[in-house]
Amino acid sequence: MKNRLLSALFALPLLLSLPALAIELDEAKDKGLVGEQTDGYLGIVKSAPQVPELVQDVNSKRKAKYQELAQKNGIALSQVEALAGKKAVEKTQPGHYILLDGQWVKK
């Protein structure tokens, strides 16, 4: 079980960067429009055109990868989401937003 969790943990950084949307995602983060949540998914900090679609696209891709990892490693989806959320918060750049205790906070 521990090895499976470690395997999932090592794969998480790959999941947190989605090359197809990297420019748009980075721009949205730089502008303070979106931020990382502790559940492993992206959230909307401030609504703007195209932000909901971006968040939905990123989150659906993340969820698919999380489900794949969970199934591959024989662990619950919630465990992968929690690990991804922890990694995402740790990797969030200074000045970008994270959701902590229901509040958007600049890191």
Side-chain angles (χ1 to χ4, degrees):
M1 175 77 159
K2 186 176 180 182
N3 287 339
R4 289 181 179 170
L5 285 174
L6 288 175
S7 295
L9 184 61
F10 287 119
L12 289 175
L14 299 174
L15 300 177
L16 297 176
S17 60
L18 299 171
L21 294 170
I23 295 170
E24 295 156 357
L25 179 56
D26 290 343
E27 181 181 355
K29 285 182 174 184
D30 289 343
K31 290 182 176 180
L33 302 174
V34 300
E36 294 292 345
Q37 302 177 142
T38 56
D39 64 359
Y41 297 100
L42 199 60
I44 298 173
V45 178
K46 293 182 204 170
S47 191
Q50 301 176 349
V51 169
E53 292 86 4
L54 173 67
V55 169
Q56 182 179 359
D57 189 45
V58 169
N59 286 343
S60 66
K61 289 177 182 176
R62 285 184 181 184
K63 186 167 188 171
K65 291 291 186 180
Y66 296 165
Q67 288 172 326
E68 182 182 313
L69 265 177
Q71 186 175 22
K72 180 180 177 182
N73 292 288
I75 58 177
L77 174 62
S78 61
Q79 288 176 285
V80 177
E81 291 170 331
L83 287 169
K86 183 176 187 227
K87 274 290 194 193
V89 168
E90 288 172 2
K91 291 183 72 170
T92 296
Q93 296 177 17
H96 287 184
Y97 283 91
I98 53 176
L99 186 66
L100 296 175
D101 299 322
Q103 299 289 325
W104 288 110
V105 179
K106 264 190 184 181
K107 186 171 178 186

